[in-house]
Structure formats: C-alpha cells, structure tokens
Amino acid sequence: MERSYLLNSWIKRIAGVFVFVISLAIYLVTLSPTLNFWDCGEFIACANGLEIGHAPGAPLYLMVARIFSLFVASHQVAYSLNILSAIASSLTVWLLYATTIIILNKVTSRINSYRIIFSAVVTSLAFAFTDTFWFSAVEAEVYAISLLFTAFTIWAVLRWENSLPDPNAHRWLLLIAFSMGLSVGVHLLNLLVIPVVVYWVFVKLMDVKYKHIWGFLVGITLLLAIQFLIIHNGLFLAKKLELLFVNIFHLPVHAGLITFMALFFGVLLCGIILTGKKHTVLHFIFVASFFFALGTTSYTMVIVRANAQTAINLNNPSHVFSLESFINRKQYGERPLIKGAWFGAKSTGIASTFNYRLDENGNYERFAEDDRYVYPSGDKSFLQRMYSSQKHHISGYHFWSGSEDGEKPTFFHQLQYLFKYQLGHMYFRYFLWNFSGRQNHYQGHGDFLNGNFTTGFKFIDQQFLGDRQYLHTKELSSATGNNYLMIPLLFGIAGFLFLIRKRHWPLLYLLGSLFILTGAAIAFYLNQPPFEPRERDYVYVGSFYAFSVFIGLGIWDLLQKLKQLSPSKLTDAIASFAILLALPGLLLANNYNDHDRSDRTLARDLAVSYLESCEPNAILFTYGDNDTYPLWYIQEVEGVRKDVRVVNIGLLSADWYIYQQTIARDEAKPLNFTVPLKRYKKGEMDYAAVVDQQAEWMHLKEGLEFLADTSRSGQLLTNGSNKIDFIPRSFRVADNFSAFLSIEKNYLMKGEIALLDIVATNYPQRPVYFANGTPTTSMLGFDRFIQPYGIVSKLVLDSTKIDTEELYQLFKNKINISIPQRSWWDETCMNAIGISDLQNTGIALANKLIAEGESKKAQTILLKFLPITSLPNFELSTNDIRWTQTLFSADLNKEAIAYLEKITYSAVQNFYFYIYSQQYLGGNMLHYAKEEQDYLKELYNLAKEHSITEIELAIEPYLNAF
C-alpha cells in the first residue's frame, strides 16, 4: 500500500511538471513577439523605465517586469515581458492542477489515484487552452499575474487545511496575507478571494451553529473593510499628519506620510510583541496585518518615481493627497452601486469635493478636485443601473431594458438591464465563450452578427444567430469561430451536480463562492453602461478558473461511473483518450489559430509609421489608447523618433499633463504656452465662454493673450457678479489673413484651450500633425487646414500643397506594415488599420500619381497595401468600389479582378444568409438582403464597365430577386 502511495505521489509530481511544460510550450509558440494594442504598450514602457501608468497603478507588476527585462536588448523588452505572462499563466495552470487534486482527494478515500491525477491533468490543460485565459497568457498585461495570485491563494488555503492540526499550519495563512498585500500592487481583483479564504478557515476552525453563514458574513465584512477602510481611506491619518507637518511645522514634503508609515508599522510591531503567546488570536491578527501591509508597500515605488518626473507620469501622484486620488481612480468618476439618479434626472446644484495640492511655496493649498451634480431624492432609485446621460448610453439602456424614449425607467426596467446586459451580455456571454463556443471575433452589442456565444448545434444556434448553412462572411472569415459543442460546459455542470448529489456542501460553497465573487459579483459591482470600448471578458477569468475545478470533478465522476459499469483497464484507456480529445484536445484545436500571435507586429509597425510620418521636432496629437500607448512604447523602450512630442488630446484636460509638456524629454523639446501655466491649474480656468464680441479678426495668439488676462476686461460678469473667462469666437491663424478659424462651440474646456495654445504658440516653428482617426470635433476647426501625410494629417495654415513626390517617398519608405503569415489580425488590429486611414490615403495618393502620369509609382503604392485587403477578414466597406476602380486605373487588372471576385463572393454569401435567416430572425432580414442586392448592383456595373463577363454572369441572378 505504501509502495503504491509513493508511486502515485511520483506520478502526481511528474504529471504536474507535464502540465506546466505543455502549457508553457504552447504559450511560447503562440507568444506575441512585440507589444500588442490597448494597455500593453503603456505597461511595457512604464516597466522599462519604472514610470507611472494609469490609475490605480500596478507597481509590483512593473518592478517584477523591470527585473525580468533588465538584461535584454531594447527591441526584446516587449518579448521578454510577454514571456513573463506566459510563465505566470503556466504556473497558474499548475496551481489549478494541484488544487484540483487536493479537492478530488477530499471526495474519495483513494488518495492520488490514477483517475484523480488524470482528471486534474485534463481540467488544467483544458483551462490552459480556454479563450480568455490564453489571450492574456501571450501578451504583457497584469491579468496573468493577477490570476496567479488568485490561484495561489486558493491552493494555499487548501494546503493550510491539509496541514492541520500541525501547530505551525497558520504559517500558510500568514503567507496568504502577504500574497494578498502583494497582489494589491498588481490588481485589486485578488481581494475578492478574501471571503472564500475566511469562509474556509472559519468552517474548519469554528464549531458554531450556522457556521457556513457566519463564515461568509465575516469574509464579506473583512473584504468591505479592506476595500473601503484600507484601500480607499487608508491614508486618512497620513493626510492629516502631512498637512500638520508641512503647513504648520514647515517640515519637508512627505514628512507626514513617512511619520504615518513609521507609526503604523510601529503599532503593528508593538501589537505583535505585546500580544505574544498570551493572546493567540489577537497576536495572529497583528502578524497577518503586518504581512498584508508589508505587501502593499510596493506603492512606495509610485510616489518615488512620480517625484522623479518620469516621461510617463499619469496623474503625477507625487505626494500623499494625489497618491490617494490615484489609488481611488478619482479621474474616472464614480458609478452608483446601491442607489443613484437615473439618466434623465435634472440636477439641483453642484457639490464639490476638495483635496490638497502643493503651491508655489511648497505648502499645501485646498482646491475643488471634483464637482458632482446634486439630484433630488425623487430622481434617485434603489439598485440604479441606468445612470449615464450620454446619448449613446441612453439608446443602449432603451435597447436592453425595453424602456421607451423619454420614459423614466421603472425598477423592472432596472432589473431587465441588470440581468440582460450586465449579467447576461457582459458576463454570461463571456462564460459561454470559454465553455460552449464563440461566434466570431467582432465586438458584440446585442446584435445577431457579432460576438455571440454558440453551442455548435444548428437547431439551437440558428434560433438566435440565423441560418447555419449559409453563414455570414463575418463568421466564415473569422478565426475565432470556435465550437466546443458545450462539452466543457456539460462537464462543469456535472461536477457541480456531483457535489450536490454527494452533499459535499463545504466544497460546493467554497468553489461556488469563488465562481460568483469573481464573476457575477464583479459584473454587478462594475455597473457598466452599454457600448464599452472593448470586450471585458479578461476581468472574469477568475470565475472561469473556478468553473474549471467543477470540470475536473465532472471528469472524475464520469470515470467512476464507467468503472462501475466496466472495470476493465481497456475501458479506462478508451474513456481517458476520449475525454482528453473532447476537452483539452477540442479546445486546443479550436483556439490555436486565433490565439497564435507569433508573427503579429502591427501595433509596433503602426507606431513606427506614425512617428516616421512626422518631420523632425514635430508635435503629434493623438486621441485614443491604440494610437497613443504604442507610441509611448516605441519612444520610451526602443528609442524611435524621440524628437517627436506626442500629445494625447484626452489627457490635455488634466493640469498635471499640461505641466509635463513643458519639460524637455531626451530629444523632445518642451512645448511653449501663451497662457501662463498657473492659469491651467484646476479651478483656475476650467472652461471659457465663446462669445461673438470682437470688432475685427485678431490672431489666435492674441486671443489667447486676451484669455490669459484675469482683469475685468478679460472676463465676463455673470448675474451673480462672478467672473467667467471668455474667448472670441473667430480668429486669424495665419499672419497674412489667409486662414481663419471659427470655434463652433459655446464654451471651451481646459484641454481644448490648451490645444489651441499649443498650436498657436509652437506653430510654424514646429510642424504639427494629428493622428488619423482623431475626431474632427476634437480638432476645434483645424480639420479645415490638414492634409494627408503618410498615416497622419499635417496642419498647413497657408495655401501650400504637399508635393506628391514627397508623399510617394514617405509612403514607399517610411510606412511599413508586416502582414502575418502564421497568425492573423483580430478586430482591434483591423480597427487600428481603419483608424490609420491607410487605405484612403493610398487611394488618394495613387490617383494623384495616375493623374500626373506616374502609373508605375501608383502601382507601387497600391501593391504595398494590397496584401492587407487580401486578408480573409478584411471587411467590406464603402472604399471597396473606389479601391477596385483605382486598381483598374493603375493597370493592375489582375489584382482588381481578384478583389472584385472576393467582394462579390462575400456579398452573395451575405445575401443568402439574410434570405435563409428570415424564418429564424424575422422580417428585418429582407431589409438587409435588399442592401446586399443594391451593393451587388454596384459590383455588377463595375464588372460590366470593365467587361468582366464571369462576374457579370455570377451577379445577374440576384439583380431582380426582389
């Protein structure tokens, strides 16, 4: 018996190594070679220079990542941090394997048996290849390490239980406390495991009535205490001491914070010493609190590096007051959790919240940090879910809740929105992506074409996705069209039912609470409005991790049942092989192609192309995350074109960001401002009225000087005798009266004034560009004076036309996009290509060259872009006809015909889809089919114009279908 146990123990260890190695190998093979879109560029840049990213920060992650990339070349930094995510994810898979074994050992007397080990191997590998987890495993983001902490916490609390009644078993709990503190420096998601840990400890140590209920109540109370008393308000006393020491005692900045830290850790150490062995529980609480607090000290890095004025220093958390705002994400505002005003509520006033900042003398001054609207109690309701007054959000509220335009939502509408959108669409849909199937890679907003889950069974899917015989091209061309036939889902449900059937209530409560707290509870807490900028499935990966343990239980239960029916080893072998294929095999086969990013370099390629499109010492205005963060990476890490000053228009509304533009950065010269910087302080010139007042057209710079004037002549008096800054509506923006700017708004916010100031003060000494994709409303009228220049738009305030040859050389030599051969471009990549306006720029330049008799050069430009349009998931667009016509005009007839065939096939395919989907999705399908028919008529005319008989004949049957 002992020999068998030892053998199984060795097999268990070998299987654990196998799970780790296999998952790591797959991740390394599919690993992204450089940065990816969204936050990856920001995180890599911040890790490389220990800089300050977006709130609430991830200091521990940045420090670990910095160590990990310390000894590699600059162009390999991104790859090394992607490897960090792969290793962290592989360790998480191993912890899932180890956790599943511990749990399975609790439901059987045969410890570490073959079926237990096999079930743990299969479920851990299945989870390794799930959609959401795999996505985070191959890019530099915090979610891989965040889940590692969650997995470690669950494994450690189970190891603690197995160590009982060893008197030193509590060391596991101290390790958990320390890891919890450390995890705060990565992401706050791991704190959600606190109620699970407390529950398990409580039920194992306490013998009281209703201990399961009491365990959860104590755990939830501790979570709320840590979240709202420590995370949100833990620096309350530090702020009081800082004010006292700096403003009253005239001690240096940070004296109060340092004193608070010394007092805080001193109290904990005194508590540890004084309680000793006399008060065991109280002593443990002091020790655990000390280790938790010690883990959170990674945030020291934030305040230290912010004071170093690093190139990326978001929010500038350089003292205790700005640090607290940074940790609490105050820049993002608040969402009502329990009670709030509905989206149509009329405010009765404004209430300001105050904070402190350093003045010019090094003392703290009080200022209004945030203004919040006050609403009457009649406009507030319990469980308020629909609160945003933005127009597109309101339309989404009506769509999901069934409320009518102009109607105040009822409580029933609130519940409809909660269950259909926030829980259904924004959580349960993601859950089914991972364990049932996924329609395609497009972001879904409740329509039938984009981002839905699938079951793999036609008779089910066709009821809400349309015809399954003639699929829409959005499904046919998507690498993310994955069908798992609900097999992982069914195994997980079987594991859940097994715990109920066998009455393993503590295990059910443990896993169930982890599943809910890291899933539906997050969706409830986030209170998301409709039309999020991206899919948010990565937030719920902890819930998918918990469900994978249920899958392991389901596998083991099935193997046990098969053993009872047929105890032969052949049955075991056949069943094991079938399960291996049906779970990790099926997930790997489906998900490999869409998770392979091994040669995807688009984010880096576009970043270089944006910067190379700019002349030396230029100013480049960007707008969104995906045209800003890659530029931060390429400048800060790889040192490409550091002379270009990148200015994010969205961040210009913050005074700290405006100040940072006046600091020289390596090769980038500082920006000059006409309006004194002190006027940009929050509370000084937060907005200015736009008035029709001046008798003659003044220069924009003169208008800014007028705005800078704080005398009565430079401000308007309101009815309450308050002064309001104002600015004339119309200006000259060129010295020779050749260009005029008219502001089509009634007021300008601080960031808009800063944009005008930057242009007026620095142009034409420095070239000014706008990233393509910047909304014209954010350009404040300058969109009338921009000309395409590579993949940016150049500001030209005179009648000069950019030379075609100059544009040709720029496009030919400086715009370089690598097309993936093994991997593919997802929707984010395609959107980035669309935002760059690369196709339109290429078409316009090619037509100019053709008009000038330079057809060979036009061919060079078109052929450079052609591989992108040839990608399977390059969507049909309004540019298709122009693109095809331009190919014909450049004598690229073969390429033009091939592209025309492609879009014709797509249109016909979509036409069939709509026609055959009518019986499932209703009469609107005929409307969509008619749109496709109209498009086919355009293609028919184009084919006829160029005498392409084959395509004409292919389209003719559909011309008179209606």
Side-chain angles (χ1 to χ4, degrees):
M1 187 71 178
E2 183 178 351
R3 183 178 179 182
S4 175
Y5 175 80
L6 290 174
L7 179 61
N8 286 345
S9 296
W10 273 105
I11 294 174
K12 183 182 75 171
R13 293 186 181 96
I14 293 170
V17 173
F18 171 79
V19 162
F20 174 82
V21 169
I22 290 296
S23 56
L24 181 60
I26 294 296
Y27 297 150
L28 291 178
V29 169
T30 58
L31 197 71
S32 175
T34 182
L35 83 152
N36 292 274
F37 287 110
W38 298 110
D39 296 343
C40 297
E42 177 202 352
F43 278 124
I44 298 168
C46 289
N48 186 68
L50 289 182
E51 303 178 48
I52 311 302
H54 66 272
L60 181 68
Y61 171 80
L62 297 182
M63 289 188 284
V64 172
R66 176 58 182 148
I67 294 171
F68 211 79
S69 64
L70 201 56
F71 305 105
V72 300
S74 61
H75 67 279
Q76 294 178 318
V77 168
Y79 185 68
S80 69
L81 298 196
N82 294 340
I83 291 176
L84 174 61
S85 292
I87 293 173
S89 298
S90 301
L91 288 172
T92 301
V93 172
W94 177 83
L95 285 169
L96 175 60
Y97 163 81
T99 299
T100 304
I101 282 185
I102 294 174
I103 289 176
L104 287 174
N105 281 333
K106 294 179 181 299
V107 299
T108 180
S109 58
R110 296 199 61 188
I111 307 300
N112 296 337
S113 66
Y114 158 76
R115 291 178 181 82
I116 287 177
I117 295 172
F118 177 78
S119 299
V121 167
V122 170
T123 194
S124 56
L125 287 178
F127 177 72
F129 305 140
T130 51
D131 184 30
T132 301
F133 182 70
W134 194 344
F135 186 90
S136 296
V138 292
E139 66 176 18
E141 253 279 17
V142 297
Y143 296 101
I145 295 183
S146 176
L147 185 62
L148 175 60
F149 275 108
T150 299
F152 172 80
T153 303
I154 297 300
W155 173 77
V157 77
L158 292 171
R159 287 297 306 270
W160 162 80
E161 182 205 357
N162 286 349
S163 300
L164 294 175
D166 185 342
N168 293 320
H170 67 281
R171 293 177 180 178
W172 283 103
L173 300 180
L174 296 178
L175 182 59
I176 289 172
F178 182 57
S179 71
M180 283 283 185
L182 289 174
S183 72
V184 171
V186 177
H187 202 287
L188 296 178
L189 281 173
N190 192 47
L191 295 181
L192 294 170
V193 187
I194 289 174
V196 181
V197 172
V198 173
Y199 162 77
W200 199 247
V201 173
F202 196 91
V203 298
K204 296 302 174 183
L205 295 183
M206 306 300 289
D207 188 17
V208 296
K209 194 175 182 181
Y210 306 122
K211 64 180 180 180
H212 297 286
I213 297 175
W214 280 111
F216 278 122
L217 289 177
V218 172
I220 294 294
T221 302
L222 182 58
L223 172 62
L224 294 176
I226 290 175
Q227 179 69 15
F228 295 106
L229 296 181
I230 298 178
I231 304 298
H232 284 296
N233 299 291
L235 295 175
F236 175 79
L237 180 58
K239 294 190 298 180
K240 297 296 182 184
L241 291 173
E242 184 78 0
L243 274 180
L244 176 67
F245 285 4
V246 176
N247 284 14
I248 305 300
F249 298 156
H250 303 294
L251 293 176
V253 176
H254 311 310
L257 177 60
I258 293 171
T259 302
F260 167 76
M261 295 296 292
L263 288 173
F264 179 73
F265 280 100
V267 168
L268 290 178
L269 288 172
C270 286
I272 292 170
I273 294 169
L274 293 176
T275 54
K277 296 182 179 180
K278 299 177 183 178
H279 307 281
T280 307
V281 175
L282 193 57
H283 178 74
F284 175 81
I285 291 173
F286 272 113
V287 176
S289 299
F290 175 85
F291 277 110
F292 178 83
L294 187 65
T296 62
T297 55
S298 62
Y299 266 91
T300 319
M301 170 265 189
V302 172
I303 201 166
V304 170
R305 295 300 292 163
N307 277 279
Q309 291 300 313
T310 55
I312 302 173
N313 186 13
L314 301 186
N315 298 88
N316 188 28
S318 55
H319 52 75
V320 65
F321 297 99
S322 55
L323 177 64
E324 186 190 54
S325 297
F326 180 75
I327 293 172
N328 290 333
R329 297 165 51 94
K330 287 188 177 179
Q331 72 180 91
Y332 299 113
E334 292 184 356
R335 297 172 179 178
L337 184 59
I338 303 299
K339 192 174 184 180
W342 70 293
F343 57 80
K346 305 298 181 183
S347 67
T348 57
I350 294 177
S352 297
T353 57
F354 294 90
N355 204 350
Y356 288 87
R357 64 189 175 198
L358 286 170
D359 62 17
E360 295 173 355
N361 300 317
N363 292 321
Y364 288 105
E365 63 177 4
R366 191 168 183 258
F367 75 103
E369 182 180 41
D370 188 26
D371 294 327
R372 299 176 186 175
Y373 291 110
V374 177
Y375 297 99
S377 57
D379 281 335
K380 295 181 179 180
S381 62
F382 174 71
L383 207 65
Q384 182 60 255
R385 302 281 102 184
M386 297 184 281
Y387 53 87
S388 173
S389 59
Q390 295 184 37
K391 288 184 178 180
H392 68 294
H393 288 163
I394 294 174
S395 66
Y397 291 146
H398 293 320
F399 175 79
W400 288 103
S401 69
S403 59
E404 299 293 333
D405 192 18
E407 175 188 10
K408 181 179 179 180
T410 64
F411 186 66
F412 175 75
H413 289 137
Q414 303 284 359
L415 292 179
Q416 280 268 92
Y417 180 73
L418 169 63
F419 285 102
K420 289 181 67 176
Y421 177 73
Q422 293 182 330
L423 295 179
H425 188 73
M426 295 303 289
Y427 168 66
F428 191 63
R429 176 173 63 105
Y430 298 145
F431 171 75
L432 292 176
W433 275 7
N434 286 273
F435 301 110
S436 179
R438 184 173 177 179
Q439 180 186 22
N440 53 36
H441 64 281
Y442 297 97
Q443 183 174 3
H445 296 292
D447 58 287
F448 59 90
L449 280 181
N450 301 303
N452 296 290
F453 70 88
T454 63
T455 65
F457 297 103
K458 290 184 179 181
F459 71 94
I460 298 176
D461 292 340
Q462 64 192 10
Q463 302 302 321
F464 59 94
L465 298 180
D467 186 64
R468 299 292 87 196
Q469 181 178 357
Y470 296 101
L471 297 178
H472 195 278
T473 51
K474 280 194 169 185
E475 289 189 62
L476 283 176
S477 64
S478 176
T480 313
N482 300 323
N483 291 309
Y484 317 134
L485 304 175
M486 302 175 68
I487 294 174
L489 177 67
L490 294 174
F491 269 100
I493 293 173
F496 174 79
L497 295 176
F498 165 76
L499 292 180
I500 294 177
R501 193 174 72 250
K502 297 298 183 178
R503 299 183 179 274
H504 291 295
W505 303 120
L507 284 176
L508 180 63
Y509 298 152
L510 174 80
L511 297 175
S513 60
L514 178 63
F515 176 72
I516 293 171
L517 286 169
T518 55
I522 295 178
F524 178 84
Y525 177 79
L526 291 177
N527 199 1
Q528 293 167 317
F531 305 113
E532 285 285 289
R534 61 184 291 198
E535 298 284 17
R536 303 294 189 184
D537 54 308
Y538 53 86
V539 176
Y540 306 106
V541 68
S543 182
F544 310 152
Y545 179 92
F547 189 78
S548 295
V549 181
F550 284 120
I551 292 177
L553 287 162
I555 295 169
W556 182 83
D557 187 38
L558 176 62
L559 290 175
Q560 288 296 105
K561 285 185 170 64
L562 290 175
K563 180 186 176 183
Q564 294 171 4
L565 293 173
S566 176
S568 73
K569 291 184 178 181
L570 179 60
T571 302
D572 256 357
I574 294 173
S576 298
F577 183 71
I579 291 171
L580 194 64
L581 290 179
L583 283 166
L586 182 65
L587 289 164
L588 177 62
N590 271 270
N591 293 338
Y592 188 92
N593 61 337
D594 53 300
H595 289 80
D596 182 6
R597 291 189 244 178
S598 57
D599 61 348
R600 183 191 294 180
T601 60
L602 180 63
R604 184 191 181 280
D605 295 342
L606 281 176
V608 174
S609 297
Y610 273 119
L611 294 176
E612 292 293 357
S613 295
C614 300
E615 295 169 282
N617 199 32
I619 300 168
L620 173 60
F621 288 104
T622 61
Y623 184 76
D625 292 356
N626 287 335
D627 61 2
T628 302
Y629 293 161
L631 301 187
W632 288 358
Y633 159 81
I634 207 68
Q635 287 188 317
E636 292 298 306
V637 180
E638 296 195 25
V640 175
R641 292 299 308 275
K642 299 189 79 171
D643 60 297
V644 178
R645 173 70 71 160
V646 177
V647 181
N648 182 275
I649 293 175
L651 293 177
L652 272 178
S653 60
D655 53 7
W656 50 264
Y657 189 69
I658 295 173
Y659 300 155
Q660 289 170 10
Q661 303 314 306
T662 65
I663 302 173
R665 302 290 184 195
D666 298 316
E667 302 167 31
K669 297 177 181 178
L671 298 183
N672 297 317
F673 287 85
T674 297
V675 177
L677 286 182
K678 63 181 181 181
R679 293 282 284 137
Y680 285 112
K681 264 188 172 183
K682 188 169 181 61
E684 291 289 329
M685 187 184 61
D686 292 332
Y687 64 93
V690 178
V691 298
D692 300 297
Q693 185 164 318
Q694 81 271 28
E696 61 181 29
W697 293 76
M698 67 169 64
H699 195 278
L700 176 58
K701 193 169 183 179
E702 296 173 329
L704 290 166
E705 291 171 350
F706 178 81
L707 180 63
D709 181 12
T710 57
S711 67
R712 289 280 175 177
S713 62
Q715 296 183 311
L716 293 174
L717 284 174
T718 65
N719 293 333
S721 298
N722 294 319
K723 293 190 295 182
I724 296 179
D725 295 295
F726 75 96
I727 190 169
R729 183 176 300 279
S730 304
F731 303 96
R732 287 185 293 113
V733 289
D735 294 332
N736 58 1
F737 288 85
S738 62
F740 299 91
L741 183 72
S742 181
I743 301 173
E744 303 300 327
K745 303 183 72 172
N746 294 324
Y747 61 89
L748 291 176
M749 301 305 292
K750 178 186 299 177
E752 295 170 320
I753 297 169
L755 188 149
L756 292 176
D757 199 343
I758 291 171
V759 174
T761 311
N762 297 274
Y763 181 89
Q765 293 79 14
R766 299 180 68 170
V768 173
Y769 299 86
F770 290 87
N772 290 342
T774 303
T776 55
T777 53
S778 297
M779 294 186 189
L780 303 176
F782 285 121
D783 54 294
R784 294 174 48 233
F785 308 105
I786 59 175
Q787 297 182 34
Y789 198 81
I791 60 171
V792 298
S793 297
K794 184 177 182 179
L795 184 66
V796 182
L797 293 179
D798 54 34
S799 57
T800 304
K801 295 294 182 183
I802 299 175
D803 181 60
T804 306
E805 179 63 21
E806 180 183 349
L807 289 177
Y808 169 74
Q809 293 298 333
L810 173 65
F811 206 104
K812 176 185 175 184
N813 300 316
K814 298 294 182 70
I815 312 299
N816 295 301
I817 308 296
S818 297
I819 309 299
Q821 302 301 313
R822 296 185 302 275
S823 55
W824 69 303
W825 285 349
D826 60 12
E827 184 182 27
T828 301
C829 295
M830 286 303 186
N831 286 344
I833 286 289
I835 289 171
S836 73
D837 212 22
L838 192 57
Q839 187 180 31
N840 276 328
T841 304
I843 291 172
L845 178 56
N847 284 325
K848 278 185 180 181
L849 290 167
I850 292 169
E852 295 175 6
E854 298 282 2
S855 293
K856 292 296 182 182
K857 290 183 178 180
Q859 289 180 1
T860 300
I861 297 302
L862 295 172
L863 290 174
K864 191 165 188 177
F865 188 76
L866 188 65
I868 297 177
T869 64
S870 301
L871 292 172
N873 60 323
F874 187 82
E875 281 194 77
L876 300 180
S877 71
T878 54
N879 289 327
D880 287 330
I881 303 294
R882 288 178 59 227
W883 174 251
T884 310
Q885 286 279 29
T886 306
L887 289 173
F888 277 123
S889 300
D891 294 326
L892 294 174
N893 295 334
K894 180 181 177 182
E895 290 79 5
I897 293 172
Y899 191 75
L900 186 55
E901 287 177 346
K902 173 189 172 182
I903 58 179
T904 299
Y905 167 79
S906 295
V908 170
Q909 182 71 25
N910 293 345
F911 179 82
Y912 273 115
F913 169 79
Y914 292 127
I915 291 294
Y916 283 92
S917 294
Q918 183 186 1
Q919 58 182 314
Y920 308 112
L921 302 178
N924 280 341
M925 296 301 103
L926 290 181
H927 169 74
Y928 297 131
K930 184 66 169 59
E931 289 182 344
E932 294 295 338
Q933 183 189 45
D934 292 340
Y935 183 62
L936 283 167
K937 288 178 181 179
E938 292 184 57
L939 298 180
Y940 178 82
N941 292 331
L942 182 60
K944 190 171 184 179
E945 177 185 347
H946 294 279
S947 302
I948 309 172
T949 308
E950 185 178 347
I951 295 179
E952 287 182 62
L953 294 174
I955 296 177
E956 275 182 357
Y958 309 100
L959 297 180
N960 299 310
F962 291 101

